[in-house]
């Protein structure tokens, strides 16, 4: 086998057949790979977990955390990503304007990417940050049984156990509980470091700033669909017009809101600002059902249960002031 090959376990938290999966996984990288574990330099975290969750696992302390599209179909390419940046001192991913990023024309090789993943200090590239889904949007964030209409929060699982009250089989345990069970430390939200770039995009760092930061995004087409009252045709039309002017990542991460206002209207500028401030509303996914993201708060009617469910939908991380 070529020594340059890299093996990166992917979507490590997915319940079915993943490294740390609740249904068939292992309890550790060591258990899975034996004494070949030293060749596992990085893991790919999947859509249902974000770096914060993975920073709590001791075995991942010295391994790179990677994200990738898990595309399954063309339009989903880039819904998550790992951003590699030059190691040269003057390159700070937070300071980069869109022009500087677009004009970067240094060439890199496979070996440079390998070096970045291995965290080789003499490499030409390093991981700058990762682009993430809000993990609640993933299909396996909370626990439950889709067919039995049972959906448990992480606390519900602790309180009620892992057996389905309807069919009496074991529930599909979501990533949040999986991580709780394996965590060697708990990182609370108030300890995270939040640093914004000049466009107001929040980069989330671990408390000691030892790890690579991340941003959480909602795909532009999803944003446009919500703004256009669910009309997929209108959203796609606007999407195609916008990405002709600037790339999707440029619009979501780096373009000043004033410019987005000019390009795509006030509502889009507002939506992107809300995402950059991490103030979206999410109904978490479970047992194979994707979570849903809402950028604008839905008007709450007089129905009381509706009101509590909207409050519950706002994960603690978004209560940033
Ligand atoms: Zn997949
Ligand atoms: Zn059931």
């Amino acid at each position: 086998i070529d020594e340059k090959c890299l093996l990166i376990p992917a979507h490590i938290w997915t319940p079915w057949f993943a490294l740390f999966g609740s249904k068939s996984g292992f309890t550790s990288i060591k258990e899975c790979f034996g004494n070949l574990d030293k060749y596992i330099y990085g893991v790919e975290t999947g859509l249902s977990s974000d770096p914060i969750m993975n920073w709590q696992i001791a075995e991942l302390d010295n391994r790179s955390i990677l994200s990738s599209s898990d595309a399954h179909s063309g339009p989903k390419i880039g819904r998550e990503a790992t951003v590699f940046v030059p190691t040269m001192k003057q390159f700070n991913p937070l300071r980069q304007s869109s022009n500087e990023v677009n004009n970067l024309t240094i060439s890199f090789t496979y070996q440079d990417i390998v070096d970045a993943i291995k965290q080789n200090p003499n490499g030409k590239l390093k991981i700058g940050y990762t682009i993430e889904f809000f993990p609640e949007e993933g299909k396996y964030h909370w626990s439950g049984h889709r067919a039995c209409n049972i959906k448990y929060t992480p606390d519900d699982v602790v309180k009620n156990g892992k057996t389905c009250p309807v069919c009496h089989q074991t529930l599909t345990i979501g990533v949040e509980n999986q991580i709780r069970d394996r965590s060697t430390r708990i990182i609370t939200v108030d300890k995270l470091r939040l640093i914004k770039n000049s466009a107001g995009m929040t980069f989330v760092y671990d408390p000691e700033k030892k790890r690579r930061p991340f941003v959480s995004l909602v795909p532009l087409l999803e944003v446009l669909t919500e703004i256009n009252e669910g009309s997929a045709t209108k959203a796609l039309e606007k999407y195609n017009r916008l990405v002709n002017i600037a790339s999707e990542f440029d619009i979501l991460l780096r373009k000043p809101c004033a410019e987005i206002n000019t390009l795509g209207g006030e509502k889009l500028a507002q939506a992107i600002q809300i995402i950059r401030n991490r103030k979206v509303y999410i109904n978490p996914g479970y047992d194979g059902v994707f979570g849903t993201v809402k950028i604008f708060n839905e008007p709450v009617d007089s129905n009381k249960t509706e009101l509590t469910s909207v409050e519950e939908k706002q994960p603690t991380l978004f209560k940033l002031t």
Side-chain angles (χ1 to χ4, degrees), residues 290-310:
F290 273 110
T292 50
V293 175
K294 279 266 161 203
I295 298 160
F296 296 99
N297 200 355
E298 294 167 287
V300 178
D301 60 24
S302 53
N303 184 335
K304 272 201 183 123
T305 54
E306 191 59 31
L307 195 119
T308 44
S309 70
V310 169

Side-chain angles (χ1 to χ4, degrees), residues 130-259:
T130 56
I131 293 172
E132 309 280 336
F133 249 36
F134 286 96
E136 296 85 350
E137 210 182 342
K139 288 194 282 190
Y140 296 105
H141 193 72
W142 279 1
S143 306
H145 264 172
R146 160 172 36 179
C148 305
N149 207 11
I150 294 295
K151 177 174 175 177
Y152 276 5
T153 67
D155 287 334
D156 288 342
V157 174
V158 175
K159 226 172 27 205
N160 306 334
K162 295 179 176 175
T163 306
C164 174
V166 177
C167 71
H168 307 289
Q169 307 285 311
T170 307
L171 294 171
T172 304
I173 298 303
V175 172
E176 182 109 22
N177 282 98
Q178 285 283 91
I179 289 181
R180 276 196 192 189
D181 290 351
R182 289 163 211 248
S183 289
T184 36
R185 69 183 78 88
I186 302 292
I187 299 177
T188 53
V189 171
D190 54 304
K191 297 281 183 315
L192 295 168
R193 307 253 201 120
L194 306 164
I195 299 174
K196 294 191 176 201
N197 71 4
S198 57
M201 182 77 222
T202 308
F203 285 71
V204 183
Y205 286 82
D206 63 298
E208 282 93 39
K209 279 184 88 178
K210 276 195 208 146
R211 313 300 300 263
R212 305 315 300 152
F214 72 93
V215 295
S216 306
L217 292 185
V218 179
L220 184 58
L221 192 57
E222 262 182 56
V223 179
L224 291 167
T225 306
E226 182 176 335
I227 293 173
N228 291 284
E229 275 98 39
S231 164
T233 336
K234 268 198 208 160
L236 190 61
E237 204 182 280
K238 291 194 177 154
Y239 178 86
N240 286 332
R241 198 179 55 78
L242 282 169
V243 296
N244 259 323
I245 307 169
S247 78
E248 173 163 353
F249 284 149
D250 225 13
I251 294 167
L252 294 171
L253 290 166
R254 289 180 290 264
K255 285 257 180 256
C257 281
E259 206 178 324

